[in-house]
């Protein structure tokens, strides 16, 4: 991909996170990217096409970052803990989770697809890690991997909301600690 196309995608990613879809105008994208209108329409058919490329890239990067923790050595609880405790820009929120609150993104099936797919992947991948922990005897058999994975994702996304509302990372950290305490309660001692 050309340098101009890369700059356009990166500028769109930043603006979507900062302003949402409606607040991200083609002119703002072009200005931030240092690219002209001709360059934008040479590489992309329009704002929806560019937004889709930006959202898809963000989704891919989030999956790759999460997979680093999920595929690492350690127990299921250690890997989930590493995922939840990794460095994040908490007060900016989740760049994918925030898009669920954007009515224009949610109304467009093409823009919504990478958001839905990423959150579904995250729930499934977490459920897989937790199920692996059950199979290896690290977590008790009473733990429901799918329900627990959905809970972890909900707490993570809700933690972002609480932190943004309070303008403090403390509610996020408390939410993560709380869900990890619940998960640890299912750990089998000396497994």
């Amino acid at each position: 991909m050309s340098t101009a196309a890369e700059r356009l995608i990166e500028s769109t990613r930043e603006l979507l996170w900062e302003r949402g879809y409606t607040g991200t105008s083609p002119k703002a994208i072009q200005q931030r990217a240092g690219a002209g209108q001709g360059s934008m329409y040479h590489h992309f058919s329009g704002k929806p096409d560019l937004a889709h490329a930006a959202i898809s890239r963000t989704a891919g990067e989030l999956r790759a970052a999460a997979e680093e923790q999920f595929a690492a050595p350690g127990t299921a609880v250690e890997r989930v803990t590493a995922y939840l405790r990794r460095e994040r820009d908490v007060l900016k929120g989740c760049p994918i989770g925030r898009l669920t609150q954007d009515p224009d993104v949610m109304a467009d099936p093409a823009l919504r697809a990478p958001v839905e797919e990423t959150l579904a992947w995250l729930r499934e991948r977490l459920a897989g890690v937790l199920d692996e922990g059950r199979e290896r005897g690290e977590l008790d058999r009473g733990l429901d991997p799918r329900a627990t994975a959905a809970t972890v994702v909900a707490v993570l996304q809700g933690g972002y909301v609480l932190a943004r509302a309070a303008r403090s990372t403390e509610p996020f950290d408390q939410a993560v600690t709380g869900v990890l305490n619940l998960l640890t309660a299912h750990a089998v001692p000396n497994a």
Side-chain angles (χ1 to χ4, degrees), residues 90-120:
V90 172
L91 295 179
K92 281 183 79 176
C94 174
I96 291 295
R98 283 188 64 180
L99 292 173
T100 65
Q101 301 302 310
D102 191 314
D104 295 307
V105 172
M106 291 295 98
D108 183 322
L111 295 179
R112 185 178 65 244
V115 174
E116 284 180 324
E117 290 163 6
T118 298
L119 292 172

PDB file of all heavy atoms in Angstrom, residues 90-120:
ATOM      1  N   VAL A  90      -6.468   3.637  29.041  1.00  0.00           N
ATOM      2  CA  VAL A  90      -7.782   3.397  29.626  1.00  0.00           C
ATOM      3  C   VAL A  90      -8.730   4.585  29.441  1.00  0.00           C
ATOM      4  O   VAL A  90      -9.900   4.413  29.103  1.00  0.00           O
ATOM      5  CB  VAL A  90      -7.648   3.036  31.127  1.00  0.00           C
ATOM      6  CG1 VAL A  90      -9.002   2.971  31.809  1.00  0.00           C
ATOM      7  CG2 VAL A  90      -6.907   1.717  31.273  1.00  0.00           C
ATOM      8  N   LEU A  91      -8.241   5.783  29.640  1.00  0.00           N
ATOM      9  CA  LEU A  91      -9.130   6.946  29.579  1.00  0.00           C
ATOM     10  C   LEU A  91      -9.592   7.270  28.156  1.00  0.00           C
ATOM     11  O   LEU A  91     -10.592   7.972  27.986  1.00  0.00           O
ATOM     12  CB  LEU A  91      -8.475   8.169  30.224  1.00  0.00           C
ATOM     13  CG  LEU A  91      -8.226   8.008  31.727  1.00  0.00           C
ATOM     14  CD1 LEU A  91      -7.561   9.254  32.296  1.00  0.00           C
ATOM     15  CD2 LEU A  91      -9.514   7.708  32.473  1.00  0.00           C
ATOM     16  N   LYS A  92      -8.919   6.743  27.157  1.00  0.00           N
ATOM     17  CA  LYS A  92      -9.389   6.907  25.784  1.00  0.00           C
ATOM     18  C   LYS A  92     -10.431   5.849  25.443  1.00  0.00           C
ATOM     19  O   LYS A  92     -11.186   6.008  24.501  1.00  0.00           O
ATOM     20  CB  LYS A  92      -8.233   6.829  24.789  1.00  0.00           C
ATOM     21  CG  LYS A  92      -7.436   8.125  24.707  1.00  0.00           C
ATOM     22  CD  LYS A  92      -6.345   8.050  23.679  1.00  0.00           C
ATOM     23  CE  LYS A  92      -6.864   8.235  22.277  1.00  0.00           C
ATOM     24  NZ  LYS A  92      -5.785   8.250  21.268  1.00  0.00           N
ATOM     25  N   GLY A  93     -10.459   4.769  26.203  1.00  0.00           N
ATOM     26  CA  GLY A  93     -11.410   3.693  25.942  1.00  0.00           C
ATOM     27  C   GLY A  93     -10.870   2.710  24.925  1.00  0.00           C
ATOM     28  O   GLY A  93      -9.793   2.885  24.374  1.00  0.00           O
ATOM     29  N   CYS A  94     -11.640   1.702  24.675  1.00  0.00           N
ATOM     30  CA  CYS A  94     -11.280   0.677  23.702  1.00  0.00           C
ATOM     31  C   CYS A  94     -11.657   1.180  22.307  1.00  0.00           C
ATOM     32  O   CYS A  94     -12.813   1.543  22.092  1.00  0.00           O
ATOM     33  CB  CYS A  94     -12.030  -0.619  24.010  1.00  0.00           C
ATOM     34  SG  CYS A  94     -11.796  -1.900  22.760  1.00  0.00           S
ATOM     35  N   PRO A  95     -10.721   1.174  21.370  1.00  0.00           N
ATOM     36  CA  PRO A  95     -11.052   1.694  20.044  1.00  0.00           C
ATOM     37  C   PRO A  95     -12.111   0.872  19.310  1.00  0.00           C
ATOM     38  O   PRO A  95     -12.821   1.410  18.464  1.00  0.00           O
ATOM     39  CB  PRO A  95      -9.720   1.675  19.294  1.00  0.00           C
ATOM     40  CG  PRO A  95      -8.835   0.771  20.055  1.00  0.00           C
ATOM     41  CD  PRO A  95      -9.322   0.761  21.466  1.00  0.00           C
ATOM     42  N   ILE A  96     -12.253  -0.390  19.639  1.00  0.00           N
ATOM     43  CA  ILE A  96     -13.313  -1.209  19.029  1.00  0.00           C
ATOM     44  C   ILE A  96     -14.597  -1.097  19.852  1.00  0.00           C
ATOM     45  O   ILE A  96     -15.675  -0.873  19.312  1.00  0.00           O
ATOM     46  CB  ILE A  96     -12.867  -2.682  18.887  1.00  0.00           C
ATOM     47  CG1 ILE A  96     -11.767  -2.802  17.832  1.00  0.00           C
ATOM     48  CG2 ILE A  96     -14.037  -3.597  18.554  1.00  0.00           C
ATOM     49  CD1 ILE A  96     -12.185  -2.461  16.408  1.00  0.00           C
ATOM     50  N   GLY A  97     -14.482  -1.232  21.159  1.00  0.00           N
ATOM     51  CA  GLY A  97     -15.668  -1.129  22.017  1.00  0.00           C
ATOM     52  C   GLY A  97     -16.389   0.200  21.866  1.00  0.00           C
ATOM     53  O   GLY A  97     -17.619   0.260  21.871  1.00  0.00           O
ATOM     54  N   ARG A  98     -15.633   1.270  21.713  1.00  0.00           N
ATOM     55  CA  ARG A  98     -16.251   2.595  21.552  1.00  0.00           C
ATOM     56  C   ARG A  98     -17.102   2.668  20.291  1.00  0.00           C
ATOM     57  O   ARG A  98     -18.091   3.393  20.251  1.00  0.00           O
ATOM     58  CB  ARG A  98     -15.184   3.686  21.519  1.00  0.00           C
ATOM     59  CG  ARG A  98     -14.663   3.983  22.901  1.00  0.00           C
ATOM     60  CD  ARG A  98     -13.758   5.161  22.941  1.00  0.00           C
ATOM     61  NE  ARG A  98     -14.453   6.391  22.576  1.00  0.00           N
ATOM     62  CZ  ARG A  98     -13.880   7.568  22.535  1.00  0.00           C
ATOM     63  NH1 ARG A  98     -12.619   7.698  22.825  1.00  0.00           N
ATOM     64  NH2 ARG A  98     -14.564   8.636  22.198  1.00  0.00           N
ATOM     65  N   LEU A  99     -16.723   1.933  19.264  1.00  0.00           N
ATOM     66  CA  LEU A  99     -17.487   1.970  18.015  1.00  0.00           C
ATOM     67  C   LEU A  99     -18.884   1.374  18.174  1.00  0.00           C
ATOM     68  O   LEU A  99     -19.773   1.688  17.394  1.00  0.00           O
ATOM     69  CB  LEU A  99     -16.715   1.260  16.901  1.00  0.00           C
ATOM     70  CG  LEU A  99     -15.434   1.966  16.453  1.00  0.00           C
ATOM     71  CD1 LEU A  99     -14.661   1.092  15.474  1.00  0.00           C
ATOM     72  CD2 LEU A  99     -15.730   3.330  15.860  1.00  0.00           C
ATOM     73  N   THR A 100     -19.094   0.536  19.188  1.00  0.00           N
ATOM     74  CA  THR A 100     -20.435  -0.014  19.416  1.00  0.00           C
ATOM     75  C   THR A 100     -21.415   1.072  19.833  1.00  0.00           C
ATOM     76  O   THR A 100     -22.625   0.896  19.719  1.00  0.00           O
ATOM     77  CB  THR A 100     -20.433  -1.124  20.481  1.00  0.00           C
ATOM     78  OG1 THR A 100     -20.069  -0.556  21.742  1.00  0.00           O
ATOM     79  CG2 THR A 100     -19.497  -2.257  20.108  1.00  0.00           C
ATOM     80  N   GLN A 101     -20.887   2.193  20.323  1.00  0.00           N
ATOM     81  CA  GLN A 101     -21.732   3.320  20.736  1.00  0.00           C
ATOM     82  C   GLN A 101     -21.946   4.322  19.606  1.00  0.00           C
ATOM     83  O   GLN A 101     -22.611   5.327  19.794  1.00  0.00           O
ATOM     84  CB  GLN A 101     -21.111   4.028  21.943  1.00  0.00           C
ATOM     85  CG  GLN A 101     -20.921   3.139  23.143  1.00  0.00           C
ATOM     86  CD  GLN A 101     -22.235   2.532  23.595  1.00  0.00           C
ATOM     87  OE1 GLN A 101     -23.223   3.228  23.771  1.00  0.00           O
ATOM     88  NE2 GLN A 101     -22.254   1.219  23.773  1.00  0.00           N
ATOM     89  N   ASP A 102     -21.370   4.049  18.440  1.00  0.00           N
ATOM     90  CA  ASP A 102     -21.481   4.948  17.303  1.00  0.00           C
ATOM     91  C   ASP A 102     -22.630   4.468  16.416  1.00  0.00           C
ATOM     92  O   ASP A 102     -22.518   3.442  15.748  1.00  0.00           O
ATOM     93  CB  ASP A 102     -20.167   4.954  16.517  1.00  0.00           C
ATOM     94  CG  ASP A 102     -20.103   6.053  15.492  1.00  0.00           C
ATOM     95  OD1 ASP A 102     -21.093   6.245  14.758  1.00  0.00           O
ATOM     96  OD2 ASP A 102     -19.056   6.715  15.404  1.00  0.00           O
ATOM     97  N   PRO A 103     -23.758   5.205  16.403  1.00  0.00           N
ATOM     98  CA  PRO A 103     -24.924   4.732  15.648  1.00  0.00           C
ATOM     99  C   PRO A 103     -24.657   4.568  14.149  1.00  0.00           C
ATOM    100  O   PRO A 103     -25.226   3.678  13.521  1.00  0.00           O
ATOM    101  CB  PRO A 103     -25.995   5.798  15.896  1.00  0.00           C
ATOM    102  CG  PRO A 103     -25.381   6.857  16.728  1.00  0.00           C
ATOM    103  CD  PRO A 103     -24.007   6.451  17.097  1.00  0.00           C
ATOM    104  N   ASP A 104     -23.785   5.391  13.585  1.00  0.00           N
ATOM    105  CA  ASP A 104     -23.500   5.274  12.154  1.00  0.00           C
ATOM    106  C   ASP A 104     -22.713   4.003  11.840  1.00  0.00           C
ATOM    107  O   ASP A 104     -22.951   3.361  10.816  1.00  0.00           O
ATOM    108  CB  ASP A 104     -22.736   6.511  11.663  1.00  0.00           C
ATOM    109  CG  ASP A 104     -23.586   7.770  11.762  1.00  0.00           C
ATOM    110  OD1 ASP A 104     -24.707   7.765  11.226  1.00  0.00           O
ATOM    111  OD2 ASP A 104     -23.133   8.745  12.403  1.00  0.00           O
ATOM    112  N   VAL A 105     -21.795   3.635  12.710  1.00  0.00           N
ATOM    113  CA  VAL A 105     -21.038   2.396  12.514  1.00  0.00           C
ATOM    114  C   VAL A 105     -21.973   1.202  12.693  1.00  0.00           C
ATOM    115  O   VAL A 105     -21.970   0.264  11.888  1.00  0.00           O
ATOM    116  CB  VAL A 105     -19.835   2.313  13.484  1.00  0.00           C
ATOM    117  CG1 VAL A 105     -19.167   0.938  13.426  1.00  0.00           C
ATOM    118  CG2 VAL A 105     -18.833   3.416  13.160  1.00  0.00           C
ATOM    119  N   MET A 106     -22.795   1.220  13.712  1.00  0.00           N
ATOM    120  CA  MET A 106     -23.680   0.093  13.984  1.00  0.00           C
ATOM    121  C   MET A 106     -24.772  -0.060  12.924  1.00  0.00           C
ATOM    122  O   MET A 106     -25.255  -1.162  12.683  1.00  0.00           O
ATOM    123  CB  MET A 106     -24.314   0.230  15.377  1.00  0.00           C
ATOM    124  CG  MET A 106     -23.328   0.053  16.521  1.00  0.00           C
ATOM    125  SD  MET A 106     -22.611  -1.603  16.643  1.00  0.00           S
ATOM    126  CE  MET A 106     -21.031  -1.394  15.823  1.00  0.00           C
ATOM    127  N   ALA A 107     -25.133   1.019  12.254  1.00  0.00           N
ATOM    128  CA  ALA A 107     -26.174   0.965  11.215  1.00  0.00           C
ATOM    129  C   ALA A 107     -25.640   0.450   9.878  1.00  0.00           C
ATOM    130  O   ALA A 107     -26.420   0.049   9.016  1.00  0.00           O
ATOM    131  CB  ALA A 107     -26.787   2.351  11.018  1.00  0.00           C
ATOM    132  N   ASP A 108     -24.331   0.442   9.712  1.00  0.00           N
ATOM    133  CA  ASP A 108     -23.728   0.027   8.449  1.00  0.00           C
ATOM    134  C   ASP A 108     -23.154  -1.381   8.605  1.00  0.00           C
ATOM    135  O   ASP A 108     -22.172  -1.578   9.320  1.00  0.00           O
ATOM    136  CB  ASP A 108     -22.620   1.017   8.073  1.00  0.00           C
ATOM    137  CG  ASP A 108     -21.987   0.717   6.731  1.00  0.00           C
ATOM    138  OD1 ASP A 108     -21.796  -0.478   6.390  1.00  0.00           O
ATOM    139  OD2 ASP A 108     -21.654   1.685   6.020  1.00  0.00           O
ATOM    140  N   PRO A 109     -23.744  -2.385   7.944  1.00  0.00           N
ATOM    141  CA  PRO A 109     -23.273  -3.764   8.123  1.00  0.00           C
ATOM    142  C   PRO A 109     -21.783  -3.953   7.833  1.00  0.00           C
ATOM    143  O   PRO A 109     -21.119  -4.718   8.528  1.00  0.00           O
ATOM    144  CB  PRO A 109     -24.129  -4.565   7.140  1.00  0.00           C
ATOM    145  CG  PRO A 109     -25.359  -3.741   6.947  1.00  0.00           C
ATOM    146  CD  PRO A 109     -24.912  -2.307   7.059  1.00  0.00           C
ATOM    147  N   ALA A 110     -21.247  -3.248   6.846  1.00  0.00           N
ATOM    148  CA  ALA A 110     -19.825  -3.412   6.513  1.00  0.00           C
ATOM    149  C   ALA A 110     -18.937  -2.839   7.612  1.00  0.00           C
ATOM    150  O   ALA A 110     -17.905  -3.426   7.935  1.00  0.00           O
ATOM    151  CB  ALA A 110     -19.522  -2.735   5.174  1.00  0.00           C
ATOM    152  N   LEU A 111     -19.319  -1.713   8.187  1.00  0.00           N
ATOM    153  CA  LEU A 111     -18.518  -1.111   9.254  1.00  0.00           C
ATOM    154  C   LEU A 111     -18.693  -1.874  10.570  1.00  0.00           C
ATOM    155  O   LEU A 111     -17.757  -1.980  11.359  1.00  0.00           O
ATOM    156  CB  LEU A 111     -18.897   0.359   9.450  1.00  0.00           C
ATOM    157  CG  LEU A 111     -18.604   1.291   8.274  1.00  0.00           C
ATOM    158  CD1 LEU A 111     -19.061   2.713   8.598  1.00  0.00           C
ATOM    159  CD2 LEU A 111     -17.141   1.266   7.891  1.00  0.00           C
ATOM    160  N   ARG A 112     -19.896  -2.378  10.799  1.00  0.00           N
ATOM    161  CA  ARG A 112     -20.187  -3.105  12.032  1.00  0.00           C
ATOM    162  C   ARG A 112     -19.493  -4.469  12.063  1.00  0.00           C
ATOM    163  O   ARG A 112     -19.088  -4.947  13.122  1.00  0.00           O
ATOM    164  CB  ARG A 112     -21.701  -3.282  12.171  1.00  0.00           C
ATOM    165  CG  ARG A 112     -22.124  -3.913  13.490  1.00  0.00           C
ATOM    166  CD  ARG A 112     -23.649  -4.034  13.625  1.00  0.00           C
ATOM    167  NE  ARG A 112     -24.198  -4.937  12.638  1.00  0.00           N
ATOM    168  CZ  ARG A 112     -25.048  -4.595  11.670  1.00  0.00           C
ATOM    169  NH1 ARG A 112     -25.462  -3.357  11.558  1.00  0.00           N
ATOM    170  NH2 ARG A 112     -25.495  -5.490  10.816  1.00  0.00           N
ATOM    171  N   ALA A 113     -19.306  -5.095  10.904  1.00  0.00           N
ATOM    172  CA  ALA A 113     -18.780  -6.469  10.844  1.00  0.00           C
ATOM    173  C   ALA A 113     -17.448  -6.647  11.573  1.00  0.00           C
ATOM    174  O   ALA A 113     -17.342  -7.557  12.403  1.00  0.00           O
ATOM    175  CB  ALA A 113     -18.680  -6.930   9.388  1.00  0.00           C
ATOM    176  N   PRO A 114     -16.417  -5.817  11.329  1.00  0.00           N
ATOM    177  CA  PRO A 114     -15.162  -6.061  12.054  1.00  0.00           C
ATOM    178  C   PRO A 114     -15.291  -5.829  13.561  1.00  0.00           C
ATOM    179  O   PRO A 114     -14.565  -6.445  14.348  1.00  0.00           O
ATOM    180  CB  PRO A 114     -14.160  -5.090  11.426  1.00  0.00           C
ATOM    181  CG  PRO A 114     -14.935  -4.155  10.582  1.00  0.00           C
ATOM    182  CD  PRO A 114     -16.277  -4.762  10.337  1.00  0.00           C
ATOM    183  N   VAL A 115     -16.225  -4.973  13.970  1.00  0.00           N
ATOM    184  CA  VAL A 115     -16.462  -4.738  15.399  1.00  0.00           C
ATOM    185  C   VAL A 115     -17.074  -5.994  16.013  1.00  0.00           C
ATOM    186  O   VAL A 115     -16.579  -6.521  17.018  1.00  0.00           O
ATOM    187  CB  VAL A 115     -17.371  -3.507  15.612  1.00  0.00           C
ATOM    188  CG1 VAL A 115     -17.741  -3.344  17.082  1.00  0.00           C
ATOM    189  CG2 VAL A 115     -16.710  -2.242  15.064  1.00  0.00           C
ATOM    190  N   GLU A 116     -18.144  -6.488  15.389  1.00  0.00           N
ATOM    191  CA  GLU A 116     -18.807  -7.709  15.880  1.00  0.00           C
ATOM    192  C   GLU A 116     -17.855  -8.898  15.887  1.00  0.00           C
ATOM    193  O   GLU A 116     -17.792  -9.651  16.859  1.00  0.00           O
ATOM    194  CB  GLU A 116     -20.007  -8.051  14.984  1.00  0.00           C
ATOM    195  CG  GLU A 116     -21.222  -7.208  15.198  1.00  0.00           C
ATOM    196  CD  GLU A 116     -22.345  -7.610  14.265  1.00  0.00           C
ATOM    197  OE1 GLU A 116     -22.081  -7.981  13.111  1.00  0.00           O
ATOM    198  OE2 GLU A 116     -23.496  -7.530  14.697  1.00  0.00           O
ATOM    199  N   GLU A 117     -17.117  -9.056  14.785  1.00  0.00           N
ATOM    200  CA  GLU A 117     -16.207 -10.197  14.663  1.00  0.00           C
ATOM    201  C   GLU A 117     -15.116 -10.162  15.723  1.00  0.00           C
ATOM    202  O   GLU A 117     -14.758 -11.196  16.282  1.00  0.00           O
ATOM    203  CB  GLU A 117     -15.580 -10.213  13.269  1.00  0.00           C
ATOM    204  CG  GLU A 117     -16.569 -10.559  12.180  1.00  0.00           C
ATOM    205  CD  GLU A 117     -16.078 -10.187  10.774  1.00  0.00           C
ATOM    206  OE1 GLU A 117     -14.899  -9.763  10.624  1.00  0.00           O
ATOM    207  OE2 GLU A 117     -16.884 -10.308   9.837  1.00  0.00           O
ATOM    208  N   THR A 118     -14.609  -8.985  16.013  1.00  0.00           N
ATOM    209  CA  THR A 118     -13.534  -8.869  17.003  1.00  0.00           C
ATOM    210  C   THR A 118     -14.036  -9.195  18.400  1.00  0.00           C
ATOM    211  O   THR A 118     -13.391  -9.939  19.144  1.00  0.00           O
ATOM    212  CB  THR A 118     -12.918  -7.458  16.961  1.00  0.00           C
ATOM    213  OG1 THR A 118     -12.363  -7.269  15.661  1.00  0.00           O
ATOM    214  CG2 THR A 118     -11.839  -7.289  18.020  1.00  0.00           C
ATOM    215  N   LEU A 119     -15.188  -8.657  18.771  1.00  0.00           N
ATOM    216  CA  LEU A 119     -15.728  -8.943  20.104  1.00  0.00           C
ATOM    217  C   LEU A 119     -16.128 -10.415  20.230  1.00  0.00           C
ATOM    218  O   LEU A 119     -15.915 -11.029  21.281  1.00  0.00           O
ATOM    219  CB  LEU A 119     -16.884  -8.001  20.427  1.00  0.00           C
ATOM    220  CG  LEU A 119     -16.465  -6.536  20.602  1.00  0.00           C
ATOM    221  CD1 LEU A 119     -17.687  -5.630  20.730  1.00  0.00           C
ATOM    222  CD2 LEU A 119     -15.530  -6.360  21.784  1.00  0.00           C
ATOM    223  N   ALA A 120     -16.655 -11.002  19.156  1.00  0.00           N
ATOM    224  CA  ALA A 120     -16.992 -12.431  19.178  1.00  0.00           C
ATOM    225  C   ALA A 120     -15.716 -13.270  19.284  1.00  0.00           C
ATOM    226  O   ALA A 120     -15.661 -14.238  20.047  1.00  0.00           O
ATOM    227  CB  ALA A 120     -17.781 -12.810  17.927  1.00  0.00           C
TER     228      ALA A 120
END
